[in-house]
Amino acid sequence: MTTGLIVLLIICLLLACAFEFVNGFHDTANAVATVIYTNSLKPTVAVVYSGILNFTGVMTGGIAVAMGIINLLPMEVLLDSNVYHGVAMILALLLSAIIWNLGTWWLGIPASSSHALIGSILGIGIAFYFLPDTGGNGLVNWDKVKDTGLALLISPLLGFSAAILMMFLFKRTIKNEIIYKEPVPGKMPPIWIRMLLWITCGLVSFFHGQNDGQKGVGLIMIILIAMMPGYFAIDEKVNIQSVNANVEHIQQLIIKADTSILSESQHQLYTNVFVNGTHFNEETKGKFKPSELALTSRFGLRTDIVKITSACEKLIKSGNLSLSQKEIVVLKREIKEAKALIEYAPYWVIIMVSVSLGLGTMVGWKRIVKTVGEKIGKQHMSYAQGASAELVAAGGIGLASAFGLPVSTTHMLSSGIAGSMVAKKGLKNLQKGTIINIALAWVLTIPITVALSCGLFLLFRAVL
Protein backbone atom coordinates (compact mmCIF):
# COMPACT_ATOMS: atom_id res chain seq x y z
CA MET A 1 0.00 0.00 0.00
CA THR A 2 1.12 3.56 -0.72
CA THR A 3 1.58 6.09 2.08
CA GLY A 4 -1.59 7.86 0.96
CA LEU A 5 -3.66 4.68 1.21
CA ILE A 6 -2.21 3.87 4.63
CA VAL A 7 -3.26 7.33 5.83
CA LEU A 8 -6.76 6.82 4.39
CA LEU A 9 -6.97 3.38 6.02
CA ILE A 10 -6.09 4.88 9.41
CA ILE A 11 -8.67 7.65 8.91
CA CYS A 12 -11.36 5.08 8.04
CA LEU A 13 -10.53 2.94 11.08
CA LEU A 14 -10.63 6.02 13.33
CA LEU A 15 -14.01 6.99 11.89
CA ALA A 16 -15.33 3.47 12.60
CA CYS A 17 -14.15 3.84 16.19
CA ALA A 18 -15.74 7.30 16.29
CA PHE A 19 -19.06 5.79 15.19
CA GLU A 20 -18.91 3.30 18.07
CA PHE A 21 -17.82 6.02 20.49
CA VAL A 22 -20.79 8.19 19.47
CA ASN A 23 -23.02 5.11 19.57
CA GLY A 24 -21.86 4.57 23.16
CA PHE A 25 -22.86 7.96 24.54
CA HIS A 26 -25.86 8.24 22.20
CA ASP A 27 -27.37 4.97 23.38
CA THR A 28 -26.09 4.89 26.97
CA ALA A 29 -29.20 6.72 28.14
CA ASN A 30 -31.26 3.70 27.20
CA ALA A 31 -29.59 1.69 29.92
CA VAL A 32 -28.82 4.24 32.63
CA ALA A 33 -31.90 6.50 32.54
CA THR A 34 -33.93 4.18 34.73
CA VAL A 35 -31.33 3.69 37.47
CA ILE A 36 -30.54 7.42 37.53
CA TYR A 37 -34.16 8.61 37.59
CA THR A 38 -35.12 6.14 40.28
CA ASN A 39 -32.13 7.13 42.48
CA SER A 40 -30.84 3.56 42.31
CA LEU A 41 -27.35 4.58 41.18
CA LYS A 42 -25.46 7.85 41.04
CA PRO A 43 -24.96 9.04 37.44
CA THR A 44 -21.18 8.59 37.44
CA VAL A 45 -21.41 5.07 38.84
CA ALA A 46 -24.22 4.20 36.43
CA VAL A 47 -22.36 5.20 33.26
CA VAL A 48 -19.12 3.49 34.32
CA TYR A 49 -21.08 0.34 35.21
CA SER A 50 -22.88 0.50 31.86
CA GLY A 51 -19.61 1.13 30.01
CA ILE A 52 -17.93 -1.91 31.53
CA LEU A 53 -20.87 -4.16 30.62
CA ASN A 54 -21.02 -2.72 27.09
CA PHE A 55 -17.33 -3.62 26.74
CA THR A 56 -18.00 -7.12 28.07
CA GLY A 57 -20.95 -7.57 25.71
CA VAL A 58 -18.84 -6.82 22.65
CA MET A 59 -16.08 -9.16 23.79
CA THR A 60 -18.47 -12.08 24.31
CA GLY A 61 -21.06 -11.40 21.61
CA GLY A 62 -19.67 -13.39 18.68
CA ILE A 63 -19.91 -12.00 15.14
CA ALA A 64 -23.33 -13.04 13.79
CA VAL A 65 -24.66 -9.45 13.72
CA ALA A 66 -21.34 -8.21 12.29
CA MET A 67 -21.68 -10.63 9.38
CA GLY A 68 -25.26 -9.45 8.85
CA ILE A 69 -23.95 -5.90 8.43
CA ILE A 70 -21.29 -7.02 5.94
CA ASN A 71 -23.83 -9.03 3.95
CA LEU A 72 -26.00 -5.97 3.42
CA LEU A 73 -23.39 -4.87 0.90
CA PRO A 74 -23.03 -7.08 -2.18
CA MET A 75 -19.50 -8.29 -2.94
CA GLU A 76 -19.21 -5.99 -5.96
CA VAL A 77 -19.24 -3.04 -3.58
CA LEU A 78 -16.61 -4.53 -1.29
CA LEU A 79 -14.06 -5.08 -4.03
CA ASP A 80 -13.40 -2.56 -6.76
CA SER A 81 -10.37 -2.52 -9.02
CA ASN A 82 -9.92 1.10 -7.90
CA VAL A 83 -9.24 0.97 -4.16
CA TYR A 84 -10.11 4.67 -3.84
CA HIS A 85 -13.69 3.79 -4.76
CA GLY A 86 -13.72 1.58 -1.67
CA VAL A 87 -12.39 4.48 0.38
CA ALA A 88 -15.17 6.70 -0.99
CA MET A 89 -17.74 4.09 0.06
CA ILE A 90 -16.35 3.78 3.58
CA LEU A 91 -16.04 7.53 4.19
CA ALA A 92 -19.58 8.19 2.95
CA LEU A 93 -21.05 5.36 5.01
CA LEU A 94 -19.36 6.33 8.27
CA LEU A 95 -19.76 10.10 7.99
CA SER A 96 -23.48 9.79 7.19
CA ALA A 97 -24.17 7.66 10.26
CA ILE A 98 -22.01 9.82 12.55
CA ILE A 99 -23.56 13.11 11.34
CA TRP A 100 -27.09 11.84 11.98
CA ASN A 101 -26.20 10.38 15.38
CA LEU A 102 -24.52 13.60 16.53
CA GLY A 103 -27.40 15.72 15.24
CA THR A 104 -30.10 13.75 17.06
CA TRP A 105 -27.93 13.58 20.20
CA TRP A 106 -27.48 17.36 20.19
CA LEU A 107 -31.24 17.80 19.96
CA GLY A 108 -31.76 15.25 22.73
CA ILE A 109 -33.87 12.97 20.52
CA PRO A 110 -33.56 9.22 21.08
CA ALA A 111 -32.78 7.93 17.58
CA SER A 112 -31.47 4.62 16.37
CA SER A 113 -27.78 4.16 15.55
CA SER A 114 -28.82 0.90 13.87
CA HIS A 115 -31.27 2.70 11.57
CA ALA A 116 -28.58 5.27 10.75
CA LEU A 117 -26.04 2.58 9.87
CA ILE A 118 -28.47 0.52 7.79
CA GLY A 119 -29.61 3.64 5.94
CA SER A 120 -26.03 4.62 5.19
CA ILE A 121 -25.27 1.16 3.81
CA LEU A 122 -28.38 1.22 1.62
CA GLY A 123 -27.41 4.64 0.31
CA ILE A 124 -24.11 3.21 -0.96
CA GLY A 125 -25.85 0.42 -2.86
CA ILE A 126 -28.45 2.78 -4.31
CA ALA A 127 -25.71 5.20 -5.43
CA PHE A 128 -24.63 2.61 -8.00
CA TYR A 129 -27.81 3.36 -9.96
CA PHE A 130 -26.28 6.75 -10.76
CA LEU A 131 -22.84 5.57 -11.87
CA PRO A 132 -22.29 5.38 -15.65
CA ASP A 133 -20.14 2.24 -15.53
CA THR A 134 -22.77 0.10 -13.76
CA GLY A 135 -25.43 0.24 -16.48
CA GLY A 136 -27.93 1.86 -14.11
CA ASN A 137 -28.00 -1.15 -11.78
CA GLY A 138 -28.04 -0.73 -8.04
CA LEU A 139 -26.14 -3.08 -5.77
CA VAL A 140 -28.46 -3.58 -2.82
CA ASN A 141 -28.82 -6.99 -1.19
CA TRP A 142 -32.61 -6.66 -0.93
CA ASP A 143 -33.13 -10.11 0.61
CA LYS A 144 -30.90 -9.19 3.54
CA VAL A 145 -32.43 -5.71 3.69
CA LYS A 146 -35.92 -7.19 4.11
CA ASP A 147 -34.84 -9.39 7.03
CA THR A 148 -32.97 -6.54 8.71
CA GLY A 149 -35.70 -3.99 8.01
CA LEU A 150 -38.37 -6.23 9.48
CA ALA A 151 -36.38 -6.60 12.71
CA LEU A 152 -35.89 -2.83 12.95
CA LEU A 153 -39.54 -2.16 12.15
CA ILE A 154 -41.24 -4.48 14.60
CA SER A 155 -38.84 -4.16 17.55
CA PRO A 156 -40.39 -0.88 18.85
CA LEU A 157 -43.90 -2.30 18.51
CA LEU A 158 -42.88 -5.41 20.41
CA GLY A 159 -41.14 -3.29 23.05
CA PHE A 160 -44.27 -1.19 23.57
CA SER A 161 -46.61 -4.19 23.79
CA ALA A 162 -44.31 -6.34 25.91
CA ALA A 163 -43.78 -3.54 28.46
CA ILE A 164 -47.54 -3.27 28.97
CA LEU A 165 -47.67 -7.04 29.53
CA MET A 166 -44.68 -6.88 31.88
CA MET A 167 -46.38 -4.22 34.00
CA PHE A 168 -49.47 -6.44 34.18
CA LEU A 169 -47.32 -9.36 35.36
CA PHE A 170 -45.64 -7.16 37.97
CA LYS A 171 -49.06 -6.14 39.31
CA ARG A 172 -50.14 -9.75 39.58
CA THR A 173 -46.96 -11.05 41.23
CA ILE A 174 -45.49 -8.16 43.27
CA LYS A 175 -47.95 -6.76 45.81
CA ASN A 176 -45.59 -4.30 47.51
CA GLU A 177 -47.00 -0.92 46.43
CA ILE A 178 -43.71 0.93 46.82
CA ILE A 179 -42.47 -0.43 43.49
CA TYR A 180 -45.31 1.35 41.67
CA LYS A 181 -44.74 4.75 43.30
CA GLU A 182 -42.65 7.62 41.99
CA PRO A 183 -39.19 7.87 43.58
CA VAL A 184 -38.68 10.47 46.29
CA PRO A 185 -36.05 13.00 45.09
CA GLY A 186 -32.69 12.39 46.74
CA LYS A 187 -33.87 9.23 48.52
CA MET A 188 -32.70 5.76 47.55
CA PRO A 189 -35.31 3.02 47.17
CA PRO A 190 -35.18 -0.20 49.21
CA ILE A 191 -32.20 -2.42 48.43
CA TRP A 192 -34.28 -5.09 46.67
CA ILE A 193 -35.59 -2.53 44.19
CA ARG A 194 -32.11 -1.12 43.64
CA MET A 195 -30.76 -4.60 42.97
CA LEU A 196 -33.55 -5.31 40.48
CA LEU A 197 -32.77 -2.10 38.58
CA TRP A 198 -29.01 -2.74 38.72
CA ILE A 199 -29.63 -6.10 37.09
CA THR A 200 -31.94 -4.73 34.39
CA CYS A 201 -29.55 -1.84 33.62
CA GLY A 202 -26.68 -4.32 33.39
CA LEU A 203 -28.62 -6.61 31.07
CA VAL A 204 -29.51 -3.79 28.67
CA SER A 205 -25.88 -2.59 28.68
CA PHE A 206 -24.51 -6.08 28.11
CA PHE A 207 -26.88 -6.94 25.27
CA HIS A 208 -26.42 -3.48 23.75
CA GLY A 209 -22.71 -4.29 23.58
CA GLN A 210 -23.44 -7.66 22.00
CA ASN A 211 -25.68 -6.17 19.31
CA ASP A 212 -24.45 -2.64 18.63
CA GLY A 213 -20.83 -3.52 19.27
CA GLN A 214 -20.98 -6.15 16.57
CA LYS A 215 -22.11 -3.47 14.13
CA GLY A 216 -18.80 -1.72 14.72
CA VAL A 217 -16.96 -4.98 14.15
CA GLY A 218 -18.84 -5.36 10.87
CA LEU A 219 -17.89 -1.81 9.85
CA ILE A 220 -14.20 -2.40 10.46
CA MET A 221 -14.30 -5.69 8.58
CA ILE A 222 -15.92 -3.87 5.62
CA ILE A 223 -13.01 -1.41 5.70
CA LEU A 224 -10.37 -4.14 5.88
CA ILE A 225 -11.94 -6.33 3.18
CA ALA A 226 -12.47 -3.37 0.83
CA MET A 227 -8.99 -1.90 1.27
CA MET A 228 -6.87 -5.00 2.00
CA PRO A 229 -8.78 -7.99 0.56
CA GLY A 230 -5.68 -10.12 0.21
CA TYR A 231 -5.15 -10.05 3.97
CA PHE A 232 -8.69 -10.01 5.37
CA ALA A 233 -11.03 -11.69 2.84
CA ILE A 234 -10.58 -15.07 4.53
CA ASP A 235 -9.59 -16.32 7.98
CA GLU A 236 -5.90 -17.21 8.16
CA LYS A 237 -6.53 -19.78 10.90
CA VAL A 238 -8.95 -22.05 8.98
CA ASN A 239 -7.79 -25.26 7.32
CA ILE A 240 -8.46 -24.87 3.59
CA GLN A 241 -8.91 -28.57 2.92
CA SER A 242 -11.46 -28.81 5.70
CA VAL A 243 -13.54 -26.18 3.92
CA ASN A 244 -12.93 -27.98 0.63
CA ALA A 245 -14.43 -31.11 2.19
CA ASN A 246 -17.48 -29.07 3.27
CA VAL A 247 -17.93 -27.76 -0.27
CA GLU A 248 -17.65 -31.24 -1.79
CA HIS A 249 -20.19 -32.62 0.68
CA ILE A 250 -22.55 -29.74 -0.14
CA GLN A 251 -22.28 -30.59 -3.82
CA GLN A 252 -22.90 -34.29 -3.14
CA LEU A 253 -26.11 -33.40 -1.31
CA ILE A 254 -27.35 -30.76 -3.76
CA ILE A 255 -26.85 -33.00 -6.80
CA LYS A 256 -29.51 -35.34 -5.38
CA ALA A 257 -32.17 -32.64 -5.75
CA ASP A 258 -34.78 -32.80 -8.51
CA THR A 259 -33.95 -29.83 -10.76
CA SER A 260 -37.15 -30.15 -12.79
CA ILE A 261 -39.17 -28.45 -10.04
CA LEU A 262 -36.82 -25.48 -9.70
CA SER A 263 -37.68 -22.07 -11.13
CA GLU A 264 -35.27 -20.32 -13.48
CA SER A 265 -33.73 -18.24 -10.69
CA GLN A 266 -33.48 -21.30 -8.43
CA HIS A 267 -31.82 -23.25 -11.22
CA GLN A 268 -29.20 -20.51 -11.42
CA LEU A 269 -28.58 -20.87 -7.68
CA TYR A 270 -28.24 -24.63 -8.17
CA THR A 271 -25.68 -24.02 -10.92
CA ASN A 272 -23.70 -21.60 -8.74
CA VAL A 273 -23.08 -24.34 -6.19
CA PHE A 274 -21.18 -26.37 -8.78
CA VAL A 275 -19.51 -23.55 -10.72
CA ASN A 276 -18.15 -21.84 -7.63
CA GLY A 277 -17.43 -25.17 -5.94
CA THR A 278 -15.29 -26.26 -8.89
CA HIS A 279 -13.40 -22.96 -8.87
CA PHE A 280 -12.79 -23.23 -5.12
CA ASN A 281 -11.48 -26.79 -5.50
CA GLU A 282 -9.13 -25.86 -8.34
CA GLU A 283 -7.72 -22.81 -6.56
CA THR A 284 -7.09 -24.66 -3.28
CA LYS A 285 -5.81 -27.99 -4.57
CA GLY A 286 -2.85 -29.16 -2.51
CA LYS A 287 -3.02 -26.15 -0.20
CA PHE A 288 -3.83 -26.45 3.49
CA LYS A 289 -3.16 -22.97 4.91
CA PRO A 290 -4.47 -19.64 3.62
CA SER A 291 -0.87 -18.40 3.74
CA GLU A 292 -0.13 -20.77 0.85
CA LEU A 293 -2.66 -18.95 -1.36
CA ALA A 294 -1.81 -15.98 -3.56
CA LEU A 295 -3.09 -12.71 -2.10
CA THR A 296 -4.85 -11.94 -5.38
CA SER A 297 -6.92 -15.15 -5.24
CA ARG A 298 -8.27 -14.84 -1.71
CA PHE A 299 -11.22 -12.56 -2.40
CA GLY A 300 -12.25 -14.90 -5.23
CA LEU A 301 -12.34 -17.77 -2.74
CA ARG A 302 -14.42 -15.66 -0.37
CA THR A 303 -16.80 -15.02 -3.27
CA ASP A 304 -17.04 -18.75 -3.94
CA ILE A 305 -18.04 -19.55 -0.36
CA VAL A 306 -20.53 -16.67 -0.21
CA LYS A 307 -22.23 -17.77 -3.44
CA ILE A 308 -22.26 -21.47 -2.55
CA THR A 309 -23.67 -21.00 0.96
CA SER A 310 -26.18 -18.26 0.06
CA ALA A 311 -27.42 -20.31 -2.93
CA CYS A 312 -28.00 -23.33 -0.69
CA GLU A 313 -29.74 -21.25 1.97
CA LYS A 314 -32.08 -19.72 -0.60
CA LEU A 315 -32.87 -23.13 -2.07
CA ILE A 316 -33.65 -24.51 1.38
CA LYS A 317 -35.84 -21.51 2.15
CA SER A 318 -37.73 -21.90 -1.14
CA GLY A 319 -39.01 -25.34 -0.10
CA ASN A 320 -38.21 -26.72 -3.59
CA LEU A 321 -35.07 -28.54 -2.57
CA SER A 322 -36.17 -32.19 -2.78
CA LEU A 323 -33.98 -33.62 -0.02
CA SER A 324 -34.97 -35.56 3.07
CA GLN A 325 -35.19 -33.75 6.39
CA LYS A 326 -32.05 -35.53 7.57
CA GLU A 327 -30.17 -34.41 4.47
CA ILE A 328 -31.34 -30.81 5.00
CA VAL A 329 -29.96 -30.91 8.55
CA VAL A 330 -26.62 -32.19 7.29
CA LEU A 331 -26.58 -29.57 4.52
CA LYS A 332 -27.15 -26.76 7.03
CA ARG A 333 -24.29 -28.07 9.16
CA GLU A 334 -21.93 -28.15 6.16
CA ILE A 335 -22.96 -24.60 5.20
CA LYS A 336 -22.21 -23.35 8.70
CA GLU A 337 -18.80 -25.07 8.76
CA ALA A 338 -17.87 -23.72 5.30
CA LYS A 339 -18.71 -20.19 6.41
CA ALA A 340 -15.97 -20.38 9.04
CA LEU A 341 -13.54 -19.37 6.29
CA ILE A 342 -15.21 -15.98 5.79
CA GLU A 343 -17.21 -15.23 8.94
CA TYR A 344 -14.58 -14.07 11.37
CA ALA A 345 -13.04 -10.97 12.88
CA PRO A 346 -9.50 -10.61 14.25
CA TYR A 347 -9.36 -10.29 18.01
CA TRP A 348 -7.78 -6.84 17.80
CA VAL A 349 -10.83 -5.57 15.88
CA ILE A 350 -13.18 -6.75 18.62
CA ILE A 351 -10.98 -5.13 21.31
CA MET A 352 -10.84 -1.85 19.35
CA VAL A 353 -14.63 -1.72 19.09
CA SER A 354 -15.10 -2.78 22.73
CA VAL A 355 -12.88 0.03 23.99
CA SER A 356 -14.52 2.63 21.70
CA LEU A 357 -18.05 1.66 22.75
CA GLY A 358 -17.13 1.37 26.43
CA LEU A 359 -15.43 4.78 26.54
CA GLY A 360 -18.25 6.40 24.58
CA THR A 361 -20.72 5.02 27.08
CA MET A 362 -19.03 7.00 29.85
CA VAL A 363 -19.49 10.48 28.30
CA GLY A 364 -22.17 12.66 26.73
CA TRP A 365 -25.13 10.77 28.15
CA LYS A 366 -27.09 13.59 29.83
CA ARG A 367 -29.05 14.93 26.82
CA ILE A 368 -30.75 11.66 25.93
CA VAL A 369 -31.14 10.60 29.57
CA LYS A 370 -33.24 13.70 30.24
CA THR A 371 -35.56 12.87 27.34
CA VAL A 372 -35.92 9.21 28.27
CA GLY A 373 -36.32 9.85 31.98
CA GLU A 374 -38.53 12.95 31.98
CA LYS A 375 -40.17 13.63 28.62
CA ILE A 376 -41.77 10.39 27.42
CA GLY A 377 -44.37 10.11 30.17
CA LYS A 378 -46.24 12.90 31.97
CA GLN A 379 -45.34 11.46 35.34
CA HIS A 380 -42.01 10.52 36.90
CA MET A 381 -40.93 6.98 36.07
CA SER A 382 -41.75 4.48 38.82
CA TYR A 383 -39.46 1.62 39.80
CA ALA A 384 -41.71 -0.95 38.15
CA GLN A 385 -41.88 1.06 34.93
CA GLY A 386 -38.10 1.33 34.73
CA ALA A 387 -37.60 -2.36 35.43
CA SER A 388 -40.29 -3.52 32.97
CA ALA A 389 -38.93 -1.35 30.13
CA GLU A 390 -35.38 -2.57 30.66
CA LEU A 391 -36.34 -6.24 30.97
CA VAL A 392 -38.24 -6.01 27.69
CA ALA A 393 -35.36 -4.19 25.97
CA ALA A 394 -32.74 -6.63 27.25
CA GLY A 395 -34.81 -9.64 26.20
CA GLY A 396 -35.51 -8.25 22.74
CA ILE A 397 -31.91 -7.24 22.05
CA GLY A 398 -30.54 -10.52 23.38
CA LEU A 399 -32.92 -12.52 21.21
CA ALA A 400 -32.03 -10.48 18.12
CA SER A 401 -28.31 -10.96 18.77
CA ALA A 402 -28.82 -14.73 19.01
CA PHE A 403 -30.38 -14.69 15.53
CA GLY A 404 -27.77 -12.32 14.10
CA LEU A 405 -30.25 -9.46 13.55
CA PRO A 406 -29.41 -5.80 14.25
CA VAL A 407 -32.12 -4.06 16.27
CA SER A 408 -32.46 -0.61 17.77
CA THR A 409 -31.63 -0.46 21.46
CA THR A 410 -32.97 3.10 21.51
CA HIS A 411 -36.38 2.24 20.13
CA MET A 412 -36.71 -0.96 22.14
CA LEU A 413 -36.10 0.92 25.39
CA SER A 414 -37.99 4.16 24.65
CA SER A 415 -40.99 2.23 23.33
CA GLY A 416 -40.80 0.05 26.43
CA ILE A 417 -40.94 3.13 28.67
CA ALA A 418 -43.88 4.45 26.64
CA GLY A 419 -45.63 1.10 27.06
CA SER A 420 -45.05 1.13 30.81
CA MET A 421 -46.56 4.63 31.02
CA VAL A 422 -49.60 3.59 28.99
CA ALA A 423 -50.05 0.53 31.21
CA LYS A 424 -50.65 2.82 34.19
CA LYS A 425 -52.92 5.58 32.85
CA GLY A 426 -53.44 4.93 29.14
CA LEU A 427 -52.31 6.98 26.15
CA LYS A 428 -53.11 10.25 27.97
CA ASN A 429 -50.02 9.54 30.14
CA LEU A 430 -47.64 10.17 27.21
CA GLN A 431 -46.11 13.52 26.31
CA LYS A 432 -47.33 14.08 22.77
CA GLY A 433 -44.47 16.31 21.63
CA THR A 434 -41.74 13.86 22.65
CA ILE A 435 -43.52 10.88 21.13
CA ILE A 436 -43.92 12.78 17.85
CA ASN A 437 -40.20 13.67 17.82
CA ILE A 438 -39.17 10.07 18.51
CA ALA A 439 -41.58 8.79 15.86
CA LEU A 440 -40.28 11.31 13.31
CA ALA A 441 -36.71 10.25 14.04
CA TRP A 442 -37.78 6.62 13.64
CA VAL A 443 -39.41 7.34 10.27
CA LEU A 444 -36.84 9.79 8.89
CA THR A 445 -33.54 8.22 9.96
CA ILE A 446 -33.28 5.73 7.11
CA PRO A 447 -34.44 8.05 4.27
CA ILE A 448 -32.14 10.88 5.41
CA THR A 449 -29.07 8.67 5.90
CA VAL A 450 -29.76 6.95 2.56
CA ALA A 451 -29.79 10.31 0.79
CA LEU A 452 -26.77 11.58 2.73
CA SER A 453 -24.56 8.55 2.14
CA CYS A 454 -25.63 8.29 -1.51
CA GLY A 455 -24.70 11.93 -2.12
CA LEU A 456 -21.42 11.74 -0.19
CA PHE A 457 -20.41 8.54 -1.97
CA LEU A 458 -20.96 10.06 -5.41
CA LEU A 459 -19.05 13.18 -4.32
CA PHE A 460 -16.10 11.30 -2.81
CA ARG A 461 -15.94 8.89 -5.75
CA ALA A 462 -15.67 11.83 -8.15
CA VAL A 463 -12.96 13.50 -6.04
CA LEU A 464 -10.79 10.56 -4.96
Side-chain angles (χ1 to χ4, degrees):
M1 294 181 73
T2 63
T3 302
L5 278 177
I6 292 173
V7 171
L8 286 172
L9 174 62
I10 292 171
I11 290 172
C12 289
L13 290 175
L14 289 176
L15 281 174
C17 291
F19 171 81
E20 279 306 311
F21 185 82
V22 173
N23 185 8
F25 69 70
H26 189 277
D27 287 7
T28 296
N30 303 308
V32 300
T34 53
V35 289
I36 291 174
Y37 273 85
T38 57
N39 302 319
S40 297
L41 278 177
K42 293 182 178 180
T44 303
V45 177
V47 294
V48 171
Y49 170 58
S50 179
I52 292 171
L53 283 170
N54 265 286
F55 176 91
T56 307
V58 182
M59 295 298 293
T60 60
I63 57 168
V65 174
M67 292 305 108
I69 293 296
I70 294 174
N71 292 335
L72 283 172
L73 283 172
M75 288 170 294
E76 294 90 340
V77 181
L78 282 177
L79 188 67
D80 192 300
S81 57
N82 186 336
V83 70
Y84 290 98
H85 291 171
V87 174
M89 172 196 74
I90 294 160
L91 289 176
L93 191 161
L94 291 170
L95 287 174
S96 301
I98 291 171
I99 289 169
W100 180 255
N101 274 353
L102 284 176
T104 51
W105 165 79
W106 182 256
L107 295 171
I109 301 173
S112 169
S113 299
S114 300
H115 283 64
L117 179 57
I118 301 304
S120 299
I121 291 174
L122 289 180
I124 300 299
I126 291 172
F128 275 76
Y129 282 107
F130 304 99
L131 296 176
D133 54 345
T134 61
N137 294 314
L139 290 174
V140 179
N141 189 339
W142 291 113
D143 287 336
K144 193 66 182 177
V145 167
K146 285 189 289 186
D147 292 340
T148 302
L150 186 61
L152 291 173
L153 179 64
I154 67 173
S155 55
L157 304 176
L158 289 176
F160 180 83
S161 304
I164 294 175
L165 178 61
M166 187 65 68
M167 284 293 291
F168 173 76
L169 292 175
F170 274 11
K171 281 284 189 181
R172 293 296 298 269
T173 57
I174 302 176
K175 301 302 181 182
N176 192 329
E177 285 299 314
I178 191 173
I179 197 173
Y180 307 108
K181 294 181 179 179
E182 295 182 14
V184 178
K187 183 179 179 181
M188 284 189 175
I191 185 64
W192 67 273
I193 291 178
R194 276 182 282 156
M195 290 182 67
L196 173 63
L197 292 168
W198 294 343
I199 291 170
T200 57
C201 171
L203 287 172
V204 172
S205 301
F206 178 78
F207 287 121
H208 174 262
Q210 283 203 332
N211 199 277
D212 279 48
Q214 286 192 55
K215 295 162 194 169
V217 173
L219 280 176
I220 292 181
M221 290 308 297
I222 287 173
I223 293 169
L224 296 175
I225 293 169
M227 298 186 69
M228 302 178 68
Y231 296 95
F232 295 99
I234 59 176
D235 190 351
E236 291 282 347
K237 299 188 294 294
V238 174
N239 185 303
I240 294 293
Q241 291 310 310
S242 175
V243 179
N244 214 343
N246 297 135
V247 171
E248 289 178 355
H249 200 181
I250 288 171
Q251 291 177 317
Q252 291 168 8
L253 289 166
I254 290 293
I255 203 169
K256 297 179 181 180
D258 180 5
T259 58
S260 66
I261 62 174
L262 300 179
S263 67
E264 185 177 344
S265 61
Q266 290 166 356
H267 202 279
Q268 182 59 54
L269 294 173
Y270 177 88
T271 303
N272 287 347
V273 174
F274 296 96
V275 172
N276 291 100
T278 300
H279 178 263
F280 187 89
N281 179 266
E282 291 173 349
E283 289 290 318
T284 60
K285 187 174 293 184
K287 299 179 177 67
F288 292 86
K289 299 178 181 178
S291 58
E292 299 174 35
L293 299 165
L295 293 178
T296 53
S297 70
R298 296 185 186 184
F299 191 84
L301 298 178
R302 178 187 181 87
T303 302
D304 288 332
I305 296 300
V306 169
K307 288 191 173 182
I308 291 167
T309 55
S310 64
C312 290
E313 287 171 339
K314 288 176 182 177
L315 288 171
I316 293 170
K317 189 176 180 180
S318 73
N320 287 341
L321 196 61
S322 53
L323 299 177
S324 68
Q325 191 59 42
K326 183 178 180 181
E327 288 170 329
I328 293 292
V329 170
V330 174
L331 180 58
K332 288 181 178 179
R333 186 188 67 220
E334 297 292 337
I335 291 170
K336 182 178 180 180
E337 292 177 1
K339 282 184 176 180
L341 184 65
I342 59 171
E343 293 193 346
Y344 83 104
Y347 202 60
W348 63 267
V349 171
I350 298 173
I351 292 176
M352 182 187 298
V353 171
S354 302
V355 172
S356 300
L357 184 62
L359 290 176
T361 299
M362 297 180 191
V363 301
W365 48 272
K366 289 185 179 179
R367 290 179 182 273
I368 307 294
V369 160
K370 189 171 183 179
T371 299
V372 173
E374 297 180 6
K375 298 182 179 180
I376 292 179
K378 290 183 177 178
Q379 61 174 175
H380 200 298
M381 185 191 305
S382 71
Y383 307 119
Q385 288 169 326
S388 63
E390 289 203 318
L391 282 172
V392 165
I397 300 163
L399 191 62
S401 298
F403 284 95
L405 294 171
V407 292
S408 169
T409 305
T410 300
H411 290 311
M412 282 292 292
L413 200 288
S414 57
S415 63
I417 292 174
S420 70
M421 293 292 175
V422 169
K424 189 169 184 179
K425 291 186 178 181
L427 291 173
K428 64 181 181 181
N429 200 29
L430 297 177
Q431 293 196 39
K432 186 178 178 180
T434 303
I435 298 303
I436 289 174
N437 287 337
I438 293 175
L440 282 174
W442 181 35
V443 172
L444 295 177
T445 295
I446 288 183
I448 289 176
T449 50
V450 164
L452 191 57
S453 66
C454 180
L456 287 176
F457 176 61
L458 294 174
L459 173 65
F460 291 149
R461 188 170 166 121
V463 172
L464 291 174

